[in-house]
Amino acid sequence: QVRLTESGGGSVQAGGSLRLSCVPSDSVSNGMGWFRQAPGKEREGVAGFTMFGTTHYADSVKGRFFISQDYSTNTLTLKMNSLKPEDTAVYYCAKGSWVTQGLNANQYNSWGQGTQVTVSS
């Protein structure tokens, strides 16, 4: 199983920005994405690359969050702008071998340990 190491979480005021990074133990690739889970809520897809390279974003983050791959540094990145208090959650990086729906958690089989993002008003 692939090991995924996330970094970049923290606390920020509303309107601010954060950048999350995820380094896999093998290679960054298509079929990788970001999920989040807020207290008392189910895990939800935030942004993801399908196995075909198509990007999917949750409606709640479209235009504010951007997912990217950097093969030179072997890193999956989530750039989060215009953060809102409702973005507060633990963010997880995930990877799957057959991802056709970028926000479907059931299609991912490797998960990181999560990184906390807290947005204050």
Side-chain angles (χ1 to χ4, degrees):
Q1 191 171 7
V2 177
R3 186 173 64 253
L4 303 171
T5 303
E6 301 120 333
S7 61
S11 297
V12 66
Q13 289 191 328
S17 299
L18 283 174
R19 186 191 304 269
L20 304 184
S21 297
C22 172
V23 178
S25 58
D26 55 355
S27 299
V28 72
S29 64
N30 291 332
M32 293 187 71
W34 290 94
F35 291 76
R36 68 186 181 187
Q37 188 166 19
K41 295 187 177 181
E42 294 187 354
R43 185 173 298 189
E44 64 172 347
V46 175
F49 283 100
T50 70
M51 57 190 291
F52 310 110
T54 306
T55 52
H56 291 171
Y57 290 94
D59 288 343
S60 60
V61 307
K62 282 181 181 176
R64 300 188 298 122
F65 290 14
F66 300 94
I67 189 172
S68 62
Q69 303 155 311
D70 189 335
Y71 291 95
S72 66
T73 60
N74 198 41
T75 302
L76 179 76
T77 298
L78 183 68
K79 183 65 164 64
M80 306 184 294
N81 300 319
S82 302
L83 283 161
K84 304 175 181 180
E86 51 263 44
D87 295 318
T88 295
V90 177
Y91 284 71
Y92 298 90
C93 175
K95 186 171 185 179
S97 57
W98 195 267
V99 177
T100 58
Q101 300 168 322
L103 305 182
N104 186 344
N106 292 326
Q107 295 188 352
Y108 291 84
N109 47 31
S110 295
W111 293 84
Q113 79 286 353
T115 185
Q116 176 71 45
V117 171
T118 302
V119 184
S120 57
S121 57

